[in-house]
Amino acid sequence: MNNPENTPQNTRGDAGSPGEDALEALFHHVPARQRPPAEDENAIRDSLHNQWRVMSRHRRRRRFTAGFALAASVILGVYLGIGLLGEPVAPVGLEIMAAVDLHQGEAWKTTPGEDVRQLSLTDGPLLTGDVIVTQDNALVSLIWVNGESIRLNSGTRLKLVSASLLELIAGQIYIDSDPAGNAPGRRQMQGTAIPSLEIETPAGTVRHIGTQYMTRVVQQHVFVSVRDGRVAIAPGGNAAAVETVIHRGEKASVGQDKNISVSAIVTHGQDWSWVEKMAPDFVMEGRSMADLLEWVARETGRDIHYRSGAAKRMAAGTFLHGSMDLAPMRALEVVMTTSDLSYELEQEMIRIAVR
């Protein structure tokens, strides 16, 4: 029987935190809200989208800081009912779930409600209930409300159910719960820590335990590949069921019969190449070469090996300046040309030596 995991994919393209205060301001002061009538919800979404368009006429690749800070001022204005609909409105249950960090190719979102609309990913913030759709030539990278990195491969449909739940309808996503220390980590929302994300799939619920992993849905089959950490899978869509835990370098396949099989995989290479293309930028200014190497290793699924103590000390004592918008291996190549260090790839290792 053919394995749906072998279905060809078409992917192409390249690729203290200042965001903490913005995230705190966005999620700390907003209490739970009642959901408005459908017509009011659509009007509120329109207002949010209009405000966002005015403030988002910049390049496609942006870090989450500005996006979330602007979104905070917009959505809190809506919550307070300050003239956006002509008169004060009731508190609403719409929450900002994510900001777009990077996207390429044809992708869009649809909004919930009676009047389902198709909108550009840059046409307003990503809210509760939105569904993101990527075409065969598209890749998308998001920053989630708690700082996690979520990346969508081509041919994916993903519903943003809540701050702790995604529904993967089709396609493939990747989650990094702490992208190389660039994210602010777990944030507080409504006075309670946001729990780790769960992914609902046709074959069950996927829950991570501090990790990097991919989840792919092909028809009624689900495939979960773990690059780092651990992932728990509850078959049948029942999070209370007995879970199967898989670890780094393992892949679980769940079929229509809900049986789980586990096999070994490599954590780098072609299967992960689309993830690397959509890596969030490395915040370079004032960071060390060792920090950059750690980021490259995490984003490529490899380990750093220093050939000598001198190389390790040099990496820790070499500080970087400026900015860049490059995929991890290209960033490493460019920075190394100005360094007294050299590197070479050896299977799962990045070996660092003094020139």
Side-chain angles (χ1 to χ4, degrees), residues 9-14 102-108 121 132-141 151-157 172 274-275 277-278:
Q9 297 185 69
N10 178 14
T11 61
R12 62 183 178 86
D14 215 24
L102 174 67
H103 75 85
Q104 60 185 44
E106 299 178 55
W108 61 82
L121 287 182
I132 303 174
V133 181
T134 62
Q135 291 287 70
D136 289 343
N137 64 344
L139 299 173
V140 172
S141 176
R151 306 172 208 178
L152 287 71
N153 203 350
S154 58
T156 295
R157 294 178 62 87
Q172 186 175 34
W274 70 273
V275 171
K277 292 175 185 176
M278 305 307 288

Side-chain angles (χ1 to χ4, degrees), residues 87-311:
E87 60 182 19
V89 296
V92 299
L94 300 178
E95 302 287 354
I96 295 180
M97 294 292 98
V100 178
D101 184 51
L102 174 67
H103 75 85
Q104 60 185 44
E106 299 178 55
W108 61 82
K109 64 181 179 181
T110 60
T111 61
E114 296 178 0
D115 180 20
V116 177
R117 291 166 293 174
Q118 180 176 307
L119 301 168
S120 167
L121 287 182
T122 57
D123 192 0
L126 297 172
L127 305 177
T128 309
D130 285 348
V131 175
I132 303 174
V133 181
T134 62
Q135 291 287 70
D136 289 343
N137 64 344
L139 299 173
V140 172
S141 176
L142 308 176
I143 300 296
W144 198 243
V145 295
N146 61 359
E148 296 184 355
S149 174
I150 301 177
R151 306 172 208 178
L152 287 71
N153 203 350
S154 58
T156 295
R157 294 178 62 87
L158 180 70
K159 183 175 181 179
L160 315 183
V161 180
S162 72
S164 59
L165 182 63
L166 300 171
E167 181 184 353
L168 183 56
I169 302 167
Q172 186 175 34
I173 67 172
Y174 171 87
I175 292 180
D176 187 342
S177 62
D178 183 16
N182 282 332
R186 294 286 181 269
R187 310 313 309 156
Q188 299 292 317
M189 187 172 74
Q190 299 178 9
T192 304
I194 302 173
S196 296
L197 276 170
E198 292 186 350
I199 303 173
E200 286 292 342
T201 74
T205 302
V206 179
R207 176 177 63 87
H208 71 254
I209 311 170
T211 192
Q212 297 172 294
Y213 70 107
M214 290 191 299
T215 302
R216 187 179 181 207
V217 171
V218 183
Q219 298 171 357
Q220 296 298 308
H221 291 74
V222 175
F223 306 90
V224 181
S225 303
V226 180
R227 170 175 269 183
D228 189 35
R230 294 174 295 158
V231 168
I233 304 170
N238 180 6
V242 176
E243 296 179 327
T244 296
V245 177
I246 59 174
H247 302 78
R248 176 178 177 172
E250 292 184 336
K251 173 181 177 179
S253 302
V254 189
Q256 288 179 295
D257 56 7
K258 303 300 188 294
N259 289 328
I260 299 176
S261 61
V262 179
S263 58
I265 58 167
V266 294
T267 59
H268 60 89
Q270 184 60 37
D271 288 346
W272 304 88
S273 61
W274 70 273
V275 171
E276 184 177 336
K277 292 175 185 176
M278 305 307 288
D281 293 340
F282 176 74
V283 183
M284 187 168 70
E285 184 65 33
R287 307 285 289 280
S288 70
M289 178 70 80
D291 292 334
L292 174 69
L293 292 172
E294 179 184 338
W295 173 70
V296 172
R298 185 174 181 85
E299 290 295 345
T300 61
R302 293 180 165 91
D303 294 321
I304 295 296
H305 174 76
Y306 293 98
R307 291 192 177 275
S308 66

Side-chain angles (χ1 to χ4, degrees), residues 47-49 51-52 55 69-79 84:
S47 182
L48 284 168
H49 293 159
Q51 292 285 339
W52 189 274
M55 296 182 287
L70 291 173
S73 63
V74 172
I75 199 163
L76 289 178
V78 176
Y79 288 145
L84 294 181

